[in-house]
Short mmCIF file of all heavy atoms in Angstrom, two decimals:
data_model
loop_
_atom_site.label_atom_id
_atom_site.label_comp_id
_atom_site.label_asym_id
_atom_site.label_seq_id
_atom_site.Cartn_x
_atom_site.Cartn_y
_atom_site.Cartn_z
N MET T 597 -40.51 63.75 1.13
CA MET T 597 -40.77 62.92 -0.01
C MET T 597 -41.71 61.77 0.33
O MET T 597 -42.55 61.41 -0.48
CB MET T 597 -39.46 62.37 -0.57
CG MET T 597 -38.64 63.40 -1.32
SD MET T 597 -37.07 62.82 -1.98
CE MET T 597 -37.54 61.45 -2.97
N MET T 598 -41.53 61.22 1.53
CA MET T 598 -42.39 60.10 1.92
C MET T 598 -43.85 60.53 2.02
O MET T 598 -44.74 59.81 1.57
CB MET T 598 -41.94 59.50 3.25
CG MET T 598 -40.71 58.63 3.17
SD MET T 598 -40.88 57.24 2.03
CE MET T 598 -42.20 56.32 2.76
N TYR T 599 -44.09 61.72 2.60
CA TYR T 599 -45.48 62.17 2.74
C TYR T 599 -46.11 62.46 1.39
O TYR T 599 -47.29 62.20 1.18
CB TYR T 599 -45.56 63.37 3.67
CG TYR T 599 -45.24 63.03 5.09
CD1 TYR T 599 -44.19 63.63 5.76
CD2 TYR T 599 -45.97 62.06 5.78
CE1 TYR T 599 -43.89 63.30 7.07
CE2 TYR T 599 -45.67 61.71 7.08
CZ TYR T 599 -44.64 62.34 7.72
OH TYR T 599 -44.34 62.01 9.01
N ALA T 600 -45.32 62.97 0.46
CA ALA T 600 -45.84 63.19 -0.89
C ALA T 600 -46.18 61.85 -1.55
O ALA T 600 -47.22 61.72 -2.20
CB ALA T 600 -44.81 63.94 -1.73
N TYR T 601 -45.32 60.87 -1.33
CA TYR T 601 -45.60 59.53 -1.86
C TYR T 601 -46.87 58.95 -1.24
O TYR T 601 -47.70 58.38 -1.94
CB TYR T 601 -44.40 58.61 -1.61
CG TYR T 601 -44.72 57.17 -1.88
CD1 TYR T 601 -44.91 56.71 -3.19
CD2 TYR T 601 -44.87 56.25 -0.84
CE1 TYR T 601 -45.23 55.39 -3.44
CE2 TYR T 601 -45.20 54.93 -1.09
CZ TYR T 601 -45.37 54.50 -2.40
OH TYR T 601 -45.70 53.21 -2.65
N TYR T 602 -47.01 59.09 0.09
CA TYR T 602 -48.21 58.59 0.76
C TYR T 602 -49.46 59.27 0.22
O TYR T 602 -50.48 58.62 -0.01
CB TYR T 602 -48.13 58.81 2.27
CG TYR T 602 -47.06 58.01 2.97
CD1 TYR T 602 -46.45 58.50 4.10
CD2 TYR T 602 -46.67 56.76 2.51
CE1 TYR T 602 -45.48 57.77 4.76
CE2 TYR T 602 -45.69 56.03 3.15
CZ TYR T 602 -45.11 56.53 4.28
OH TYR T 602 -44.15 55.82 4.93
N ALA T 603 -49.40 60.58 0.02
CA ALA T 603 -50.55 61.31 -0.49
C ALA T 603 -50.90 60.86 -1.90
O ALA T 603 -52.08 60.65 -2.23
CB ALA T 603 -50.27 62.81 -0.47
N MET T 604 -49.88 60.68 -2.73
CA MET T 604 -50.13 60.24 -4.10
C MET T 604 -50.71 58.82 -4.12
O MET T 604 -51.61 58.53 -4.92
CB MET T 604 -48.84 60.30 -4.91
CG MET T 604 -48.35 61.72 -5.16
SD MET T 604 -46.74 61.78 -5.96
CE MET T 604 -47.17 61.34 -7.62
N SER T 605 -50.21 57.96 -3.24
CA SER T 605 -50.74 56.60 -3.17
C SER T 605 -52.20 56.60 -2.73
O SER T 605 -53.03 55.85 -3.26
CB SER T 605 -49.92 55.76 -2.20
OG SER T 605 -48.62 55.58 -2.70
N LEU T 606 -52.50 57.45 -1.76
CA LEU T 606 -53.87 57.55 -1.27
C LEU T 606 -54.82 58.03 -2.36
O LEU T 606 -55.96 57.56 -2.46
CB LEU T 606 -53.92 58.52 -0.08
CG LEU T 606 -55.27 58.71 0.59
CD1 LEU T 606 -55.71 57.42 1.27
CD2 LEU T 606 -55.21 59.83 1.60
N LEU T 607 -54.34 58.92 -3.20
CA LEU T 607 -55.15 59.47 -4.28
C LEU T 607 -55.07 58.64 -5.56
O LEU T 607 -55.62 59.03 -6.59
CB LEU T 607 -54.72 60.90 -4.57
CG LEU T 607 -54.91 61.89 -3.42
CD1 LEU T 607 -54.26 63.22 -3.74
CD2 LEU T 607 -56.38 62.07 -3.10
N LYS T 608 -54.39 57.49 -5.49
CA LYS T 608 -54.24 56.58 -6.64
C LYS T 608 -53.54 57.23 -7.82
O LYS T 608 -53.84 56.96 -8.98
CB LYS T 608 -55.60 56.03 -7.09
CG LYS T 608 -56.42 55.40 -5.99
CD LYS T 608 -55.99 53.99 -5.75
CE LYS T 608 -57.00 53.29 -4.87
NZ LYS T 608 -56.48 52.82 -3.63
N ILE T 609 -52.57 58.10 -7.52
CA ILE T 609 -51.76 58.75 -8.54
C ILE T 609 -50.43 58.00 -8.62
O ILE T 609 -49.77 57.80 -7.60
CB ILE T 609 -51.50 60.24 -8.20
CG1 ILE T 609 -52.82 60.98 -8.08
CG2 ILE T 609 -50.59 60.88 -9.22
CD1 ILE T 609 -52.68 62.39 -7.54
N PRO T 610 -50.01 57.57 -9.79
CA PRO T 610 -48.73 56.86 -9.89
C PRO T 610 -47.56 57.79 -9.49
O PRO T 610 -47.52 58.95 -9.87
CB PRO T 610 -48.62 56.48 -11.37
CG PRO T 610 -49.83 56.96 -12.04
CD PRO T 610 -50.70 57.68 -11.07
N CYS T 611 -46.66 57.24 -8.74
CA CYS T 611 -45.52 58.01 -8.24
C CYS T 611 -44.30 57.76 -9.13
O CYS T 611 -43.79 56.63 -9.17
CB CYS T 611 -45.21 57.62 -6.80
SG CYS T 611 -43.84 58.51 -6.11
N PRO T 612 -43.82 58.79 -9.81
CA PRO T 612 -42.70 58.58 -10.74
C PRO T 612 -41.37 58.29 -10.05
O PRO T 612 -40.47 57.73 -10.65
CB PRO T 612 -42.64 59.89 -11.53
CG PRO T 612 -43.28 60.90 -10.66
CD PRO T 612 -44.31 60.16 -9.85
N TRP T 613 -41.23 58.67 -8.79
CA TRP T 613 -39.95 58.49 -8.10
C TRP T 613 -39.99 57.37 -7.06
O TRP T 613 -39.11 57.27 -6.21
CB TRP T 613 -39.47 59.79 -7.46
CG TRP T 613 -40.32 60.28 -6.32
CD1 TRP T 613 -40.25 59.86 -5.02
CD2 TRP T 613 -41.35 61.24 -6.35
NE1 TRP T 613 -41.18 60.50 -4.26
CE2 TRP T 613 -41.88 61.37 -5.05
CE3 TRP T 613 -41.91 62.03 -7.36
CZ2 TRP T 613 -42.92 62.23 -4.74
CZ3 TRP T 613 -42.93 62.89 -7.04
CH2 TRP T 613 -43.42 62.99 -5.75
N LYS T 614 -40.98 56.50 -7.14
CA LYS T 614 -41.14 55.42 -6.16
C LYS T 614 -39.89 54.53 -6.10
O LYS T 614 -39.41 54.19 -5.03
CB LYS T 614 -42.36 54.58 -6.49
CG LYS T 614 -42.58 53.43 -5.55
CD LYS T 614 -43.83 52.64 -5.94
CE LYS T 614 -44.02 51.47 -5.00
NZ LYS T 614 -45.19 50.68 -5.33
N ARG T 615 -39.35 54.17 -7.25
CA ARG T 615 -38.17 53.30 -7.28
C ARG T 615 -36.98 53.97 -6.58
O ARG T 615 -36.26 53.32 -5.84
CB ARG T 615 -37.82 52.97 -8.72
CG ARG T 615 -36.59 52.14 -8.85
CD ARG T 615 -36.28 51.82 -10.27
NE ARG T 615 -35.06 51.04 -10.33
CZ ARG T 615 -34.55 50.57 -11.42
NH1 ARG T 615 -35.15 50.77 -12.57
NH2 ARG T 615 -33.43 49.88 -11.39
N TYR T 616 -36.78 55.24 -6.83
CA TYR T 616 -35.65 55.96 -6.24
C TYR T 616 -35.85 56.16 -4.74
O TYR T 616 -34.88 56.16 -3.98
CB TYR T 616 -35.43 57.29 -6.95
CG TYR T 616 -35.17 57.09 -8.42
CD1 TYR T 616 -36.12 57.45 -9.37
CD2 TYR T 616 -33.99 56.49 -8.86
CE1 TYR T 616 -35.89 57.25 -10.71
CE2 TYR T 616 -33.76 56.28 -10.21
CZ TYR T 616 -34.71 56.66 -11.13
OH TYR T 616 -34.48 56.45 -12.46
N LEU T 617 -37.08 56.35 -4.33
CA LEU T 617 -37.39 56.49 -2.91
C LEU T 617 -37.08 55.18 -2.17
O LEU T 617 -36.47 55.20 -1.10
CB LEU T 617 -38.86 56.87 -2.74
CG LEU T 617 -39.34 57.19 -1.34
CD1 LEU T 617 -38.56 58.36 -0.76
CD2 LEU T 617 -40.82 57.52 -1.36
N THR T 618 -37.47 54.07 -2.76
CA THR T 618 -37.16 52.77 -2.17
C THR T 618 -35.66 52.53 -2.12
O THR T 618 -35.13 52.08 -1.10
CB THR T 618 -37.85 51.65 -2.97
OG1 THR T 618 -39.25 51.89 -2.99
CG2 THR T 618 -37.56 50.30 -2.36
N LEU T 619 -34.97 52.87 -3.18
CA LEU T 619 -33.51 52.72 -3.21
C LEU T 619 -32.85 53.59 -2.15
O LEU T 619 -31.91 53.16 -1.47
CB LEU T 619 -32.98 53.06 -4.60
CG LEU T 619 -31.49 52.90 -4.81
CD1 LEU T 619 -31.07 51.45 -4.59
CD2 LEU T 619 -31.11 53.37 -6.20
N ALA T 620 -33.34 54.81 -1.97
CA ALA T 620 -32.79 55.71 -0.95
C ALA T 620 -33.01 55.14 0.45
O ALA T 620 -32.13 55.22 1.31
CB ALA T 620 -33.44 57.09 -1.07
N GLN T 621 -34.17 54.56 0.69
CA GLN T 621 -34.44 53.97 2.00
C GLN T 621 -33.54 52.77 2.27
O GLN T 621 -33.00 52.62 3.37
CB GLN T 621 -35.91 53.55 2.11
CG GLN T 621 -36.84 54.71 2.28
CD GLN T 621 -38.27 54.24 2.44
OE1 GLN T 621 -38.76 53.43 1.65
NE2 GLN T 621 -38.94 54.73 3.46
N LEU T 622 -33.37 51.91 1.28
CA LEU T 622 -32.49 50.76 1.46
C LEU T 622 -31.04 51.19 1.70
O LEU T 622 -30.32 50.60 2.51
CB LEU T 622 -32.59 49.83 0.26
CG LEU T 622 -33.94 49.13 0.06
CD1 LEU T 622 -33.94 48.34 -1.24
CD2 LEU T 622 -34.28 48.26 1.24
N THR T 623 -30.63 52.25 1.02
CA THR T 623 -29.29 52.81 1.24
C THR T 623 -29.17 53.36 2.64
O THR T 623 -28.16 53.17 3.32
CB THR T 623 -29.00 53.91 0.20
OG1 THR T 623 -29.12 53.35 -1.12
CG2 THR T 623 -27.62 54.49 0.39
N GLN T 624 -30.20 54.03 3.11
CA GLN T 624 -30.20 54.57 4.47
C GLN T 624 -30.09 53.46 5.49
O GLN T 624 -29.28 53.55 6.43
CB GLN T 624 -31.49 55.37 4.72
CG GLN T 624 -31.61 55.87 6.13
CD GLN T 624 -32.99 56.45 6.44
OE1 GLN T 624 -33.90 56.38 5.61
NE2 GLN T 624 -33.14 57.02 7.61
N PHE T 625 -30.85 52.39 5.34
CA PHE T 625 -30.80 51.29 6.29
C PHE T 625 -29.41 50.66 6.33
O PHE T 625 -28.87 50.38 7.39
CB PHE T 625 -31.85 50.22 5.94
CG PHE T 625 -33.27 50.73 5.90
CD1 PHE T 625 -34.21 50.10 5.12
CD2 PHE T 625 -33.66 51.83 6.65
CE1 PHE T 625 -35.52 50.55 5.08
CE2 PHE T 625 -34.96 52.29 6.62
CZ PHE T 625 -35.89 51.66 5.83
N SER T 626 -28.83 50.46 5.15
CA SER T 626 -27.49 49.87 5.08
C SER T 626 -26.44 50.78 5.70
O SER T 626 -25.53 50.31 6.40
CB SER T 626 -27.12 49.58 3.62
OG SER T 626 -28.04 48.70 3.05
N THR T 627 -26.56 52.07 5.47
CA THR T 627 -25.61 53.03 6.01
C THR T 627 -25.68 53.08 7.54
O THR T 627 -24.65 53.17 8.21
CB THR T 627 -25.87 54.43 5.42
OG1 THR T 627 -25.82 54.34 4.00
CG2 THR T 627 -24.85 55.44 5.89
N VAL T 628 -26.87 53.01 8.09
CA VAL T 628 -27.03 53.02 9.55
C VAL T 628 -26.38 51.79 10.16
O VAL T 628 -25.70 51.88 11.19
CB VAL T 628 -28.52 53.13 9.94
CG1 VAL T 628 -28.72 52.87 11.42
CG2 VAL T 628 -29.07 54.50 9.57
N VAL T 629 -26.56 50.63 9.54
CA VAL T 629 -25.93 49.40 10.05
C VAL T 629 -24.41 49.53 9.98
O VAL T 629 -23.70 49.19 10.93
CB VAL T 629 -26.43 48.16 9.28
CG1 VAL T 629 -25.60 46.94 9.62
CG2 VAL T 629 -27.89 47.92 9.57
N LEU T 630 -23.89 50.04 8.87
CA LEU T 630 -22.45 50.23 8.73
C LEU T 630 -21.91 51.21 9.77
O LEU T 630 -20.89 50.94 10.43
CB LEU T 630 -22.12 50.72 7.32
CG LEU T 630 -20.66 51.00 7.03
CD1 LEU T 630 -19.84 49.71 7.12
CD2 LEU T 630 -20.50 51.63 5.66
N TYR T 631 -22.58 52.33 9.96
CA TYR T 631 -22.17 53.32 10.95
C TYR T 631 -22.20 52.74 12.37
O TYR T 631 -21.27 52.95 13.15
CB TYR T 631 -23.08 54.55 10.87
CG TYR T 631 -22.79 55.58 11.93
CD1 TYR T 631 -21.69 56.41 11.82
CD2 TYR T 631 -23.63 55.72 13.04
CE1 TYR T 631 -21.41 57.36 12.80
CE2 TYR T 631 -23.36 56.65 14.01
CZ TYR T 631 -22.25 57.47 13.89
OH TYR T 631 -21.99 58.40 14.86
N SER T 632 -23.22 51.99 12.68
CA SER T 632 -23.34 51.37 14.00
C SER T 632 -22.20 50.39 14.24
O SER T 632 -21.62 50.34 15.33
CB SER T 632 -24.68 50.65 14.14
OG SER T 632 -25.74 51.57 14.00
N THR T 633 -21.87 49.62 13.21
CA THR T 633 -20.77 48.66 13.32
C THR T 633 -19.45 49.38 13.55
O THR T 633 -18.64 48.96 14.40
CB THR T 633 -20.71 47.79 12.05
OG1 THR T 633 -21.97 47.16 11.85
CG2 THR T 633 -19.61 46.76 12.14
N VAL T 634 -19.22 50.46 12.82
CA VAL T 634 -17.99 51.24 13.00
C VAL T 634 -17.92 51.81 14.41
O VAL T 634 -16.85 51.81 15.04
CB VAL T 634 -17.89 52.35 11.93
CG1 VAL T 634 -16.77 53.33 12.25
CG2 VAL T 634 -17.68 51.75 10.56
N CYS T 635 -19.02 52.28 14.94
CA CYS T 635 -19.05 52.81 16.31
C CYS T 635 -18.64 51.75 17.32
O CYS T 635 -17.81 52.01 18.20
CB CYS T 635 -20.44 53.34 16.66
SG CYS T 635 -20.82 54.90 15.88
N VAL T 636 -19.19 50.55 17.20
CA VAL T 636 -18.86 49.48 18.14
C VAL T 636 -17.39 49.11 18.01
O VAL T 636 -16.70 48.90 19.02
CB VAL T 636 -19.77 48.25 17.91
CG1 VAL T 636 -19.27 47.04 18.67
CG2 VAL T 636 -21.19 48.57 18.31
N ILE T 637 -16.87 49.06 16.80
CA ILE T 637 -15.45 48.75 16.60
C ILE T 637 -14.58 49.82 17.24
O ILE T 637 -13.59 49.52 17.92
CB ILE T 637 -15.13 48.59 15.10
CG1 ILE T 637 -15.79 47.31 14.56
CG2 ILE T 637 -13.63 48.57 14.85
CD1 ILE T 637 -15.76 47.17 13.06
N MET T 638 -14.93 51.08 17.04
CA MET T 638 -14.15 52.17 17.63
C MET T 638 -14.19 52.13 19.15
O MET T 638 -13.17 52.36 19.81
CB MET T 638 -14.64 53.53 17.11
CG MET T 638 -14.42 53.73 15.63
SD MET T 638 -12.70 53.64 15.13
CE MET T 638 -12.06 55.10 15.88
N TRP T 639 -15.34 51.85 19.72
CA TRP T 639 -15.45 51.76 21.19
C TRP T 639 -14.57 50.63 21.71
O TRP T 639 -13.91 50.76 22.74
CB TRP T 639 -16.89 51.51 21.62
CG TRP T 639 -17.85 52.61 21.31
CD1 TRP T 639 -17.55 53.92 21.10
CD2 TRP T 639 -19.25 52.49 21.16
NE1 TRP T 639 -18.69 54.62 20.82
CE2 TRP T 639 -19.76 53.77 20.86
CE3 TRP T 639 -20.14 51.42 21.25
CZ2 TRP T 639 -21.11 54.01 20.67
CZ3 TRP T 639 -21.49 51.68 21.05
CH2 TRP T 639 -21.96 52.95 20.77
N THR T 640 -14.58 49.52 20.98
CA THR T 640 -13.79 48.37 21.39
C THR T 640 -12.29 48.66 21.29
O THR T 640 -11.52 48.32 22.19
CB THR T 640 -14.14 47.13 20.54
OG1 THR T 640 -15.55 46.91 20.62
CG2 THR T 640 -13.41 45.91 21.01
N LEU T 641 -11.87 49.29 20.21
CA LEU T 641 -10.45 49.59 20.02
C LEU T 641 -9.93 50.61 21.04
O LEU T 641 -8.77 50.55 21.44
CB LEU T 641 -10.19 50.10 18.60
CG LEU T 641 -10.34 49.07 17.49
CD1 LEU T 641 -10.15 49.73 16.13
CD2 LEU T 641 -9.36 47.93 17.66
N LYS T 642 -10.79 51.52 21.44
CA LYS T 642 -10.38 52.54 22.42
C LYS T 642 -10.48 52.04 23.85
O LYS T 642 -10.13 52.77 24.78
CB LYS T 642 -11.24 53.80 22.26
CG LYS T 642 -10.95 54.56 21.00
CD LYS T 642 -11.77 55.82 20.94
CE LYS T 642 -11.47 56.62 19.70
NZ LYS T 642 -12.21 57.88 19.68
N ASN T 643 -10.99 50.82 24.02
CA ASN T 643 -11.18 50.24 25.36
C ASN T 643 -12.00 51.16 26.28
O ASN T 643 -11.69 51.31 27.45
CB ASN T 643 -9.84 49.91 26.02
CG ASN T 643 -9.14 48.78 25.33
OD1 ASN T 643 -9.79 47.84 24.86
ND2 ASN T 643 -7.83 48.84 25.26
N GLU T 644 -13.00 51.80 25.70
CA GLU T 644 -13.85 52.68 26.49
C GLU T 644 -14.80 51.84 27.34
O GLU T 644 -15.40 50.88 26.86
CB GLU T 644 -14.65 53.61 25.58
CG GLU T 644 -13.78 54.60 24.83
CD GLU T 644 -14.58 55.60 24.05
OE1 GLU T 644 -15.74 55.86 24.43
OE2 GLU T 644 -14.05 56.13 23.08
N ASN T 645 -14.92 52.21 28.59
CA ASN T 645 -15.82 51.52 29.50
C ASN T 645 -17.17 52.23 29.48
O ASN T 645 -17.44 53.10 30.30
CB ASN T 645 -15.22 51.50 30.91
CG ASN T 645 -16.03 50.63 31.85
OD1 ASN T 645 -16.90 49.89 31.41
ND2 ASN T 645 -15.74 50.73 33.12
N LEU T 646 -17.99 51.87 28.52
CA LEU T 646 -19.26 52.55 28.32
C LEU T 646 -20.42 51.86 29.02
O LEU T 646 -21.52 52.40 29.06
CB LEU T 646 -19.56 52.65 26.82
CG LEU T 646 -18.53 53.41 25.99
CD1 LEU T 646 -18.89 53.32 24.52
CD2 LEU T 646 -18.45 54.85 26.43
N GLY T 647 -20.20 50.66 29.51
CA GLY T 647 -21.32 49.91 30.06
C GLY T 647 -22.06 49.19 28.94
O GLY T 647 -21.64 49.18 27.79
N TRP T 648 -23.17 48.60 29.28
CA TRP T 648 -23.92 47.80 28.31
C TRP T 648 -24.93 48.61 27.52
O TRP T 648 -25.37 48.19 26.45
CB TRP T 648 -24.62 46.65 29.01
CG TRP T 648 -25.64 47.10 30.03
CD1 TRP T 648 -25.41 47.38 31.34
CD2 TRP T 648 -27.01 47.36 29.79
NE1 TRP T 648 -26.57 47.79 31.94
CE2 TRP T 648 -27.58 47.79 31.01
CE3 TRP T 648 -27.84 47.28 28.68
CZ2 TRP T 648 -28.92 48.14 31.15
CZ3 TRP T 648 -29.18 47.62 28.81
CH2 TRP T 648 -29.70 48.04 30.03
N GLU T 649 -25.30 49.80 28.01
CA GLU T 649 -26.39 50.55 27.39
C GLU T 649 -26.12 50.95 25.93
O GLU T 649 -26.99 50.77 25.07
CB GLU T 649 -26.73 51.80 28.21
CG GLU T 649 -27.35 51.51 29.56
CD GLU T 649 -26.31 51.42 30.67
OE1 GLU T 649 -25.10 51.35 30.39
OE2 GLU T 649 -26.73 51.40 31.84
N PRO T 650 -24.94 51.52 25.61
CA PRO T 650 -24.71 51.87 24.21
C PRO T 650 -24.74 50.66 23.27
O PRO T 650 -25.24 50.74 22.15
CB PRO T 650 -23.33 52.52 24.20
CG PRO T 650 -23.08 52.93 25.60
CD PRO T 650 -23.83 51.96 26.46
N TYR T 651 -24.21 49.54 23.75
CA TYR T 651 -24.23 48.33 22.93
C TYR T 651 -25.65 47.82 22.72
O TYR T 651 -26.00 47.35 21.63
CB TYR T 651 -23.35 47.25 23.56
CG TYR T 651 -21.90 47.63 23.61
CD1 TYR T 651 -21.32 48.10 24.78
CD2 TYR T 651 -21.10 47.54 22.48
CE1 TYR T 651 -19.98 48.47 24.82
CE2 TYR T 651 -19.76 47.91 22.50
CZ TYR T 651 -19.21 48.37 23.68
OH TYR T 651 -17.89 48.73 23.70
N ALA T 652 -26.47 47.92 23.76
CA ALA T 652 -27.87 47.52 23.63
C ALA T 652 -28.60 48.43 22.65
O ALA T 652 -29.40 47.97 21.82
CB ALA T 652 -28.56 47.55 25.00
N ALA T 653 -28.32 49.73 22.73
CA ALA T 653 -28.95 50.69 21.82
C ALA T 653 -28.56 50.40 20.37
O ALA T 653 -29.40 50.42 19.47
CB ALA T 653 -28.58 52.12 22.19
N VAL T 654 -27.27 50.10 20.15
CA VAL T 654 -26.81 49.77 18.80
C VAL T 654 -27.46 48.47 18.33
O VAL T 654 -27.87 48.36 17.18
CB VAL T 654 -25.27 49.68 18.75
CG1 VAL T 654 -24.79 49.04 17.47
CG2 VAL T 654 -24.66 51.07 18.90
N GLY T 655 -27.57 47.50 19.23
CA GLY T 655 -28.22 46.24 18.87
C GLY T 655 -29.66 46.44 18.44
O GLY T 655 -30.11 45.87 17.44
N VAL T 656 -30.39 47.26 19.18
CA VAL T 656 -31.79 47.54 18.83
C VAL T 656 -31.86 48.26 17.49
O VAL T 656 -32.70 47.95 16.63
CB VAL T 656 -32.46 48.37 19.95
CG1 VAL T 656 -33.81 48.91 19.48
CG2 VAL T 656 -32.62 47.55 21.21
N GLN T 657 -30.95 49.22 17.29
CA GLN T 657 -30.94 49.98 16.05
C GLN T 657 -30.64 49.08 14.84
O GLN T 657 -31.31 49.16 13.81
CB GLN T 657 -29.90 51.09 16.13
CG GLN T 657 -29.89 52.01 14.95
CD GLN T 657 -28.97 53.20 15.18
OE1 GLN T 657 -28.19 53.23 16.12
NE2 GLN T 657 -29.07 54.18 14.33
N VAL T 658 -29.66 48.21 14.98
CA VAL T 658 -29.31 47.31 13.88
C VAL T 658 -30.46 46.34 13.61
O VAL T 658 -30.80 46.06 12.46
CB VAL T 658 -27.99 46.56 14.19
CG1 VAL T 658 -27.76 45.42 13.22
CG2 VAL T 658 -26.82 47.54 14.16
N TRP T 659 -31.08 45.83 14.67
CA TRP T 659 -32.23 44.93 14.50
C TRP T 659 -33.36 45.63 13.74
O TRP T 659 -33.96 45.06 12.83
CB TRP T 659 -32.72 44.46 15.87
CG TRP T 659 -33.96 43.64 15.78
CD1 TRP T 659 -35.24 44.04 16.03
CD2 TRP T 659 -34.06 42.28 15.38
NE1 TRP T 659 -36.11 43.01 15.81
CE2 TRP T 659 -35.42 41.91 15.41
CE3 TRP T 659 -33.13 41.32 14.99
CZ2 TRP T 659 -35.85 40.64 15.08
CZ3 TRP T 659 -33.58 40.05 14.66
CH2 TRP T 659 -34.92 39.73 14.70
N GLU T 660 -33.63 46.88 14.11
CA GLU T 660 -34.68 47.63 13.42
C GLU T 660 -34.34 47.84 11.95
O GLU T 660 -35.21 47.69 11.09
CB GLU T 660 -34.91 48.99 14.11
CG GLU T 660 -35.98 49.80 13.44
CD GLU T 660 -36.17 51.18 14.07
OE1 GLU T 660 -35.39 51.55 14.96
OE2 GLU T 660 -37.09 51.87 13.63
N MET T 661 -33.11 48.19 11.66
CA MET T 661 -32.72 48.42 10.26
C MET T 661 -32.82 47.13 9.44
O MET T 661 -33.29 47.16 8.31
CB MET T 661 -31.29 48.97 10.19
CG MET T 661 -31.12 50.37 10.73
SD MET T 661 -32.13 51.61 9.90
CE MET T 661 -33.30 52.02 11.17
N PHE T 662 -32.39 45.99 10.03
CA PHE T 662 -32.52 44.72 9.31
C PHE T 662 -33.98 44.37 9.08
O PHE T 662 -34.35 43.89 8.00
CB PHE T 662 -31.84 43.59 10.07
CG PHE T 662 -30.37 43.44 9.74
CD1 PHE T 662 -29.43 43.45 10.75
CD2 PHE T 662 -29.94 43.28 8.44
CE1 PHE T 662 -28.08 43.31 10.47
CE2 PHE T 662 -28.60 43.15 8.13
CZ PHE T 662 -27.67 43.16 9.16
N SER T 663 -34.83 44.63 10.07
CA SER T 663 -36.25 44.31 9.90
C SER T 663 -36.90 45.20 8.84
O SER T 663 -37.73 44.74 8.06
CB SER T 663 -37.00 44.43 11.22
OG SER T 663 -37.09 45.77 11.64
N LEU T 664 -36.51 46.47 8.80
CA LEU T 664 -37.05 47.36 7.77
C LEU T 664 -36.51 46.99 6.38
O LEU T 664 -37.22 47.11 5.39
CB LEU T 664 -36.71 48.82 8.10
CG LEU T 664 -37.42 49.41 9.31
CD1 LEU T 664 -36.83 50.78 9.64
CD2 LEU T 664 -38.91 49.51 9.08
N PHE T 665 -35.26 46.57 6.34
CA PHE T 665 -34.66 46.15 5.06
C PHE T 665 -35.37 44.93 4.51
O PHE T 665 -35.63 44.84 3.31
CB PHE T 665 -33.18 45.87 5.25
CG PHE T 665 -32.42 45.76 3.97
CD1 PHE T 665 -31.88 46.89 3.37
CD2 PHE T 665 -32.23 44.54 3.36
CE1 PHE T 665 -31.18 46.79 2.18
CE2 PHE T 665 -31.54 44.42 2.18
CZ PHE T 665 -31.00 45.56 1.57
N ALA T 666 -35.69 44.00 5.41
CA ALA T 666 -36.36 42.77 4.97
C ALA T 666 -37.79 43.08 4.55
O ALA T 666 -38.32 42.53 3.63
CB ALA T 666 -36.36 41.75 6.10
#
């Protein structure tokens, strides 16, 4: 859908589903942040010794989602 939107924008054709595409992306970003938060909570509750790498990866992922949302 994104590539079709990009092609239509390039050709100056109005995109009828632009609003829904934006809404879907914002929903995706929010869902990823929620899922990442649940993962960290589950790791903490299970007292899993995962090291710092998974937490760093989740931090980068959440930062990226917030930046895309903004």
Side-chain angles (χ1 to χ4, degrees):
M597 286 179 56
M598 284 302 298
Y599 291 120
Y601 169 71
Y602 293 150
M604 292 174 75
S605 294
L606 182 67
L607 298 171
K608 307 278 192 241
I609 300 171
C611 180
W613 67 83
K614 179 180 179 180
R615 178 180 179 178
Y616 302 109
L617 186 60
T618 302
L619 183 61
Q621 285 183 311
L622 294 175
T623 302
Q624 176 190 6
F625 302 153
S626 301
T627 304
V628 169
V629 169
L630 179 64
Y631 176 76
S632 299
T633 304
V634 169
C635 286
V636 169
I637 290 170
M638 295 300 292
W639 295 338
T640 305
L641 290 176
K642 290 183 178 183
N643 291 325
E644 294 186 25
N645 188 11
L646 300 175
W648 62 272
E649 292 92 348
Y651 295 101
V654 167
V656 169
Q657 185 172 13
V658 168
W659 175 259
E660 180 182 6
M661 292 301 111
F662 272 126
S663 69
L664 291 172
F665 194 88

